[in-house]
Amino acid sequence: GYALNTSTIKGFELGIVEILDLAAKAGYMGIEPWIAELDAYLEAGGTLDNLGKRLADRGLKVVGGIAFHHWAVNDEDMRRNGLEQAKREMDMLRQIGGCAIAAPPFGEVGDVCLDAFAERYAAMLEVGKSVEVTPMLELWGFAPRLSRLGELMYVAYESQHPDACVLLDVYHLYKGSNDFESLPLLNGSRLGLLHMNDYPADPPRETIGDQDRVYPGDGVAPLSRILNLLKEIGYCGVLSLELFNPAYWQGEPADVVRVGLEKTKAAVEAADLG
């Protein structure tokens, strides 16, 4: 299925209710909201129960959520507070039908060894288990740790937890100098989500940033190869469109949402997955 990560239209500063209406009208099967949007909705007087009903009424699933927790840092107090925050925010997602959340290497983690990462990811998974939401270990191409697929796989494996899974992103794999041909080393059932996007040839890898992501098919990423490799490992999950391109925020949000879905579907069709 296809989902909309709400960052794609972040610049329009819409409320979560408007966003899910746009996603449903365009034909997405799910959304991937940012926790900050849920907080804003609650602060304005909304309730998670009503939001969950709106999602269900529109046939939308919550395929994940974006939040930033200090779950992996060396500072014990900060890490404990990060886990408490993660529990609260994962429970928010659960209340609107979500069952997964991104767990990126957020914070000062440059000095964190991979074995410590694995132990702390296991702790994060246990917190998630208590509220029935799974933290997906996310690769960040610009981060000092977990920018490489090998690091991500090591941490997931050494967490020794049955719920361990990973979240990948076309742009982040490129930014972290990963070889897409290594994807078959993964088990498709442990790939929780794929952030779908593309990247241009310029700026170069060293200076490219989130804001440079483009619609699938509008860049130079080998999307057909990537999608076929994911098929080989048995991935049959969601492609969640995640962009941050301010150039797309100059028009109408409905157009961005619609074009994003059309181009994502076109990339899948071009891959000829059979």
Side-chain angles (χ1 to χ4, degrees), residues 4-7 9-24 31-46 51 54-55 58 60 96 253-254 257:
L4 176 71
N5 184 299
T6 56
S7 70
I9 51 175
K10 180 181 179 181
F12 294 106
E13 299 183 353
L14 303 176
I16 188 63
V17 172
E18 295 173 273
I19 293 172
L20 66 88
D21 285 343
L22 287 171
I31 64 166
E32 190 183 5
W34 286 49
I35 293 297
E37 294 160 344
L38 302 185
D39 287 336
Y41 171 77
L42 293 174
E43 290 171 6
L51 186 59
R54 282 180 177 271
L55 286 159
R58 287 155 182 75
L60 289 172
I96 61 172
V257 170

Side-chain angles (χ1 to χ4, degrees), residues 1-235:
Y2 302 96
L4 176 71
N5 184 299
T6 56
S7 70
T8 301
I9 51 175
K10 180 181 179 181
F12 294 106
E13 299 183 353
L14 303 176
I16 188 63
V17 172
E18 295 173 273
I19 293 172
L20 66 88
D21 285 343
L22 287 171
K25 186 175 181 179
Y28 290 85
M29 56 73 66
I31 64 166
E32 190 183 5
W34 286 49
I35 293 297
E37 294 160 344
L38 302 185
D39 287 336
Y41 171 77
L42 293 174
E43 290 171 6
T47 68
L48 294 175
D49 183 60
N50 284 339
L51 186 59
K53 290 177 180 177
R54 282 180 177 271
L55 286 159
D57 288 345
R58 287 155 182 75
L60 289 172
K61 295 182 178 181
V62 179
V63 302
I66 303 298
F68 305 97
H69 309 122
H70 290 104
W71 60 272
V73 297
N74 283 327
D75 186 288
E76 291 186 17
D77 289 337
M78 187 177 292
R79 194 167 66 249
R80 181 174 59 254
N81 291 335
L83 290 176
E84 291 174 355
Q85 176 192 353
K87 184 175 183 178
R88 289 193 305 271
E89 295 180 347
M90 284 190 278
D91 189 56
M92 289 170 65
L93 284 174
R94 180 193 60 79
Q95 292 182 58
I96 61 172
C99 60
I101 194 171
F106 179 68
E108 298 295 328
V109 296
D111 295 331
V112 180
C113 71
L114 294 182
D115 286 329
F117 249 112
E119 180 180 340
R120 294 165 190 177
Y121 178 48
M124 183 73 158
L125 286 164
E126 280 299 300
V127 170
K129 187 176 181 179
S130 71
V131 293
E132 300 180 331
V133 173
T134 302
M136 300 176 290
L137 190 66
E138 183 175 12
L139 185 148
W140 268 4
F142 58 82
R145 290 285 187 272
L146 306 194
S147 65
R148 304 284 293 174
L149 188 57
E151 292 178 323
L152 199 77
M153 293 172 64
Y154 181 90
V155 170
Y157 183 88
E158 289 299 331
S159 71
Q160 300 181 35
H161 197 286
D163 298 333
C165 62
V166 300
L167 191 166
L168 298 182
D169 180 302
V170 173
Y171 158 78
H172 277 300
L173 284 165
Y174 169 73
K175 178 66 176 177
S177 299
N178 292 280
D179 187 343
F180 294 115
E181 294 300 320
S182 296
L183 288 174
L185 294 171
L186 289 169
N187 182 330
S189 67
R190 292 302 183 94
L191 175 54
L193 195 63
L194 178 72
H195 283 164
M196 190 70 169
N197 45 60
D198 207 332
Y199 50 82
D202 187 62
R205 193 197 311 261
E206 293 73 23
T207 58
I208 197 170
D210 281 328
Q211 72 279 0
D212 299 308
R213 303 184 193 196
V214 294
Y215 290 123
D218 286 1
V220 298
L223 293 181
S224 291
R225 181 59 177 161
I226 292 169
L227 292 171
N228 273 281
L229 289 173
L230 293 181
K231 180 187 176 183
E232 286 183 18
I233 65 172
Y235 181 65

